Amino acid sequence: MKFIKDKNEKRRDYLFQKDKKTIIGARIIGFILLVLVSAVIISGIDFELSSL
């Protein structure tokens, strides 16, 4: 099973295709995950400071 398929390959066993939609989708998902992780870290720091 291949992880990333090139645009011109004739395969059916792959997870992602190397095209513009996949790259944009991966960037959007990465940004959302980064925002969520940041929110958890910031809320944890705020909780620690407010409990002092």
Side-chain angles (χ1 to χ4, degrees), residues 3-44:
F3 190 69
I4 298 175
K5 177 183 98 82
D6 288 328
K7 196 172 192 178
N8 298 325
E9 276 186 294
K10 302 288 184 195
R11 297 182 70 125
R12 295 187 72 172
D13 59 339
Y14 62 91
L15 293 177
F16 298 108
Q17 187 171 353
K18 190 183 280 187
D19 62 354
K20 195 168 188 153
K21 285 184 197 177
T22 305
I23 293 170
I24 291 172
R27 287 183 180 173
I28 290 171
I29 291 170
F31 177 73
I32 291 170
L33 288 174
L34 184 66
V35 168
L36 289 174
V37 168
S38 300
V40 168
I41 291 171
I42 290 170
S43 65

